[in-house]
Amino acid sequence: RSPAAEEAAGSAESLSRASVAAAIAAALVRCLEDSVSQVRDAAVEALPKVAERGNPVVMGALIRYAEYPSGFVRKSAVEAIGQLALPGDVAAMQVLERCLKDTGSSGTR
């Protein structure tokens, strides 16, 4: 194959991987609404592994998740936000600041 064909094939493969990762991230965001805490926890742990940094849908879901009543849940969300937020993300910084000030953390899920 020509170098141009190789480059095109590589680009197509990269796009394919990116679209698969985006689909997985979207499914994981839906899992954050699951009634089973272990499913939600697994989704939060997996999101930083597959989601694109700064993805607005993922970040919005994690920010909402960081407001959850359970301290364990908030901690997981804060860790994921820290891994996925882009520099200067004001909404992420605000939720992280609120969580840092939180002294009434519940240890329940």
Side-chain angles (χ1 to χ4, degrees):
R1 286 200 303 199
S2 72
E6 289 291 331
E7 185 176 335
S11 295
E13 186 176 325
S14 293
L15 284 173
S16 177
R17 274 194 231 124
S19 63
V20 168
I24 292 169
L28 290 170
V29 165
R30 288 190 301 274
C31 288
L32 294 177
E33 303 299 324
D34 198 276
S35 62
V36 178
S37 66
Q38 291 87 350
V39 172
R40 295 189 306 266
D41 293 345
V44 169
E45 285 184 34
L47 274 167
K49 296 174 185 167
V50 298
E52 181 180 355
R53 286 192 71 192
N55 178 314
V57 173
V58 172
M59 291 303 297
L62 287 172
I63 287 169
R64 286 189 305 278
Y65 203 65
E67 303 292 336
Y68 204 81
S70 163
F72 288 119
V73 171
R74 287 194 308 274
K75 180 182 180 293
S76 297
V78 164
E79 289 172 356
I81 290 167
Q83 293 175 20
L84 291 171
L86 293 173
D89 183 329
V90 175
M93 288 188 285
Q94 289 173 339
V95 78
L96 294 176
E97 184 178 323
R98 277 195 306 275
C99 288
L100 284 172
K101 291 178 180 178
D102 182 11
T103 58
S105 296
S106 164
T108 61
R109 291 180 186 243

